[in-house]
Amino acid sequence: MSVKTRANKQSGATIKDVASAAGVSAMTVSRVLNAEPNVRPATRERVQLAIRDLNYRPNLSARNLARANAYFIGLLYDNPSAGYISELLIGALNRCRASGYHLVLENCDASGADWASQISSMLRTSSFDGIIMPPPVCDNADVLAAVAEAGIPCVRIAPDTDLDRSPCILTDDRAAARRMTEYLIDLGHSRIGFVRGPKEHGASRERCAGHLEALAAHGLESDPELLVAGEVTYKSGLEAAETLLSRDDRPSAIFASNDDMAVAVIALAHRHGLDVPRDLTVVGFDDTPMATAIWPQLTTVRQPISDMSSNAIELLASHLDGDADAAAQREIRSEIVVRDSSGAPAG
């Protein structure tokens, strides 16, 4: 049974049932489903309540026939890195524009007190044909449960758990982090600071694991005081760098697990009067635009973020079209880009 057919059978309610319950025309319901602006707020709220009460799910086949498969795709995100989100959007928007799809952004901000129920309500009343979810949303149990309850097909980008749960785009975070650490070791660095991301983020755990694997493989002891927590933000990078650079036996190199934090490390190094890379090597991860907007330009792991989101849209569309031959997983490899922020340790 195709994805479309499964989605169509999840509710017996029709658009006419919704219209009757809300006391409006079927055309008005259609306008609400398609997020058109010319609907009064009170009417929109009444229609959305009827949709929720009836557990109505739009008929994908009928809708797609009417609009020539112009899928409405939701992108659920919760990542404070502006550079990462920017690259993600470039890939998704370019693919949607080329294919005639519509992209809708939804911020899953877990800091809100009632955010989980809000996400669940939004998904139940949305007009999404499918969803793509980058990290860390792709591993968030509450969001995954809400998506499953709403019965909306999804593709996850770089998930850390339950890889068979849905189609997904995979990347080599652990192997790439290991290669970057080995690059630093080959330069002659043995005291390497590492700024990790939040432990609950799968990509952060994988990158830290790859770093530690490289140290162990080269017989270097992992000093717990050289592993500093960050939150993938510039501010958290400044705080982590202050911790590492204030040590009497400071590291000769710092590997930050995203570019925002690596750029912050370089800024704080300058504040401490350190030359990068003569006194301190700094490397990052992602290769967002800021990697080449600073001085010295950042050596980093180039993660093809825009390619990942573009492939996610393509993979989702294949499954929505009922393509039985569409792969459930695609893997995209990263590469190290050497620039001016890395060099051999002084002396």
Side-chain angles (χ1 to χ4, degrees):
M1 184 182 295
S2 71
V3 173
K4 282 184 181 177
T5 304
R6 287 197 302 270
N8 292 342
K9 290 188 175 181
Q10 287 188 10
S11 172
T14 67
I15 194 169
K16 290 183 178 180
D17 295 330
V18 174
S20 177
V24 299
S25 68
M27 179 60 72
T28 299
V29 176
S30 178
R31 287 172 179 161
V32 172
L33 289 171
N34 291 305
E36 294 180 11
N38 54 335
V39 180
R40 287 181 295 181
T43 302
R44 185 183 303 276
E45 183 176 352
R46 200 161 67 247
V47 170
Q48 289 175 337
L49 179 62
I51 290 171
R52 184 165 63 250
D53 289 344
L54 294 172
N55 193 27
Y56 172 71
R57 289 285 297 136
N59 184 305
L60 295 183
S61 296
R63 288 178 63 203
N64 290 332
L65 180 63
R67 64 192 188 195
N69 281 347
Y71 293 125
F72 275 73
I73 296 174
L75 191 161
L76 310 186
Y77 71 96
D78 178 21
N79 192 312
S81 171
Y84 184 91
I85 294 300
S86 175
E87 288 295 294
L88 195 78
L89 287 179
I90 288 172
L93 286 170
N94 285 345
R95 173 60 66 180
C96 285
R97 185 181 299 113
S99 303
Y101 308 149
H102 303 281
L103 187 69
V104 180
L105 308 182
E106 291 288 349
N107 185 3
C108 299
D109 184 2
S111 62
D114 196 33
W115 78 278
S117 63
Q118 291 176 5
I119 291 295
S120 181
S121 176
M122 179 273 293
L123 291 174
R124 286 198 306 269
T125 60
S126 75
S127 57
F128 296 147
D129 295 316
I131 289 172
I132 62 172
M133 295 185 288
V137 172
C138 61
D139 290 312
N140 187 291
D142 290 328
V143 176
L144 291 175
V147 171
E149 180 186 0
I152 304 175
C154 70
V155 169
R156 296 187 293 157
I157 299 175
D160 178 52
T161 57
D162 296 331
L163 299 187
D164 295 330
R165 182 174 189 143
S166 68
C168 54
I169 305 298
L170 303 177
T171 187
D172 56 343
D173 283 296
R174 181 182 296 227
R178 175 169 178 158
R179 292 195 301 272
M180 177 60 87
T181 300
E182 289 175 338
Y183 162 74
L184 296 175
I185 294 170
D186 289 343
L187 286 175
H189 296 282
S190 57
R191 286 190 57 75
I192 302 171
F194 187 82
V195 185
R196 64 173 182 258
K199 289 183 178 180
E200 63 270 20
H201 292 189
S204 296
R205 292 195 298 270
E206 287 293 288
R207 294 173 191 185
C208 186
H211 167 69
L212 296 176
E213 284 178 1
L215 294 180
H218 289 264
L220 297 176
E221 183 178 352
S222 173
D223 183 348
E225 294 191 357
L226 293 181
L227 289 176
V228 182
E231 294 294 329
V232 304
T233 62
Y234 182 90
K235 180 182 178 183
S236 70
L238 288 175
E239 295 168 351
E242 186 66 56
T243 298
L244 290 168
L245 297 182
S246 296
R247 294 176 55 90
D248 292 335
D249 53 347
R250 62 173 175 80
S252 62
I254 296 178
F255 179 7
S257 57
N258 84 330
D259 288 347
D260 294 63
M261 296 191 294
V263 169
V265 173
I266 290 177
L268 197 78
H270 292 328
R271 190 182 303 172
H272 278 251
L274 299 174
D275 180 89
V276 177
R278 185 185 64 208
D279 301 320
L280 178 71
T281 277
V282 181
V283 299
F285 204 113
D286 286 338
D287 198 27
T288 55
M290 66 171 56
T292 54
I294 61 164
W295 178 85
Q297 292 190 354
L298 182 66
T299 293
T300 188
V301 174
R302 174 177 290 161
Q303 183 171 232
I305 301 168
S306 62
D307 287 345
M308 291 161 63
S309 59
S310 175
N311 273 266
I313 296 290
E314 183 179 309
L315 184 58
L316 177 60
S318 295
H319 283 269
L320 289 173
D321 288 337
D323 184 356
D325 295 326
Q329 297 178 356
R330 295 184 185 180
E331 183 168 2
I332 301 179
R333 285 179 57 82
S334 304
E335 61 178 318
I336 293 175
V337 180
V338 176
R339 298 194 179 100
D340 301 326
S341 68
S342 57

